[in-house]
Amino acid sequence: MLRDGDIVLRPIKMRDQQAWREVNRRNRDWLRPWEATIPPPTPSGPIVHRPTYRQMVRHLRSEANAGRMLPFVIEYQGRLVGQLTVAGITWGSMCSGHVGYWVDESVAGRGVMPTAVALVVDHCFRTVGLHRIEVCIRPENGPSRRVVEKLGFREEGPRPRYLHIDGAWRDHLVFALTAEEVPDGLLGRWHRTRAQAGPPTGPRNTQGNPA
């Protein structure tokens, strides 16, 4: 479990199903433009269906046990408000992974997602032993881009038609950090950035990209 004040990241569990479904249902319209979808099957390819919650958790656990994924739910003030997954973990000469996430619209603008990303990046660099973390975001997703910009991720360029989202293959931008760029930790840098910026002047959406 990773914690910073009211924000907690912990492994996703089967018993989270009811809370996860409720949050996901309320946020359908909020998440749909950014959530990965399953493309139409090719003539020779298999037919793939969207997994149930239980199938999703079993898959995430299997990938975690194999060392390829770190699946978390995000809690804020004791309730489930989102999901964050470090996926595509590669070892050997690369030692990297990529982060995907989503958050409840009702808590957007409170620093939940930047804090969650900072927590998991520090965990990946300091505990897991990864060297590079990247986040891929649709260019149109301004709120999610603000998350990585606030945290100081570098923009590395486009990945054309990178993921199937909302019914079509969508372009993404790649943002990345390496361990050398945050020797004192990303969470500490994020706290200093927030302190210098002062209190927020009003609510603002800070949605991340889908998990």
Side-chain angles (χ1 to χ4, degrees):
M1 184 174 70
L2 311 175
R3 177 189 292 274
D4 184 64
D6 289 334
I7 299 165
V8 171
L9 271 67
R10 61 166 177 79
I12 191 169
K13 301 175 182 178
M14 286 293 185
R15 66 171 179 261
D16 293 320
Q17 180 172 353
Q18 183 175 350
W20 187 94
R21 284 185 178 277
E22 192 276 329
V23 175
N24 210 266
R25 179 191 58 77
R26 282 194 292 102
N27 286 272
R28 277 293 80 215
D29 292 340
W30 164 256
L31 297 173
R32 186 175 294 112
W34 321 116
E35 192 169 52
T37 47
I38 297 173
T42 61
S44 59
I47 298 176
V48 180
H49 299 285
R50 189 174 181 86
T52 65
Y53 177 85
R54 297 183 70 83
Q55 289 171 335
M56 176 189 71
V57 173
R58 282 196 294 267
H59 171 72
L60 293 175
R61 283 180 173 176
S62 174
E63 290 295 287
N65 289 336
R68 293 188 292 261
M69 190 176 286
L70 297 171
F72 296 98
V73 292
I74 305 168
E75 291 184 345
Y76 177 65
Q77 296 181 343
R79 68 183 181 93
L80 192 152
V81 296
Q83 190 172 348
L84 185 153
T85 303
V86 185
I89 294 175
T90 304
W91 298 100
S93 58
M94 184 170 283
C95 291
S96 73
H98 57 83
V99 174
Y101 48 81
W102 60 266
V103 70
D104 190 337
E105 185 178 13
S106 70
V107 302
R110 303 185 192 183
V112 173
M113 190 52 72
T115 301
V117 173
L119 277 167
V120 87
V121 167
D122 283 351
H123 177 67
C124 286
F125 287 163
R126 295 176 167 183
T127 304
V128 179
L130 296 183
H131 173 253
R132 171 187 163 92
I133 293 292
E134 68 177 41
V135 183
C136 296
I137 301 171
R138 287 186 61 183
E140 304 89 345
N141 193 345
S144 191
R145 291 177 65 175
R146 284 195 291 273
V147 171
V148 292
E149 288 163 359
K150 289 174 182 178
L151 294 174
F153 277 71
R154 285 178 289 100
E155 182 177 338
E156 293 191 334
R159 286 191 179 168
R161 297 170 295 283
Y162 177 65
L163 281 178
H164 196 273
I165 290 179
D166 197 24
W169 293 102
R170 308 291 184 177
D171 296 347
H172 281 63
L173 294 172
V174 182
F175 297 84
L177 271 180
T178 61
E180 293 89 347
E181 293 173 275
V182 283
D184 299 322
L186 185 57
L187 184 64
R189 188 168 81 179
W190 165 233
H191 282 315
R192 291 190 295 273
T193 299
R194 294 187 80 182
Q196 291 167 3
T201 56
R204 183 171 68 181
N205 290 345
T206 315
Q207 180 195 346
N209 62 319

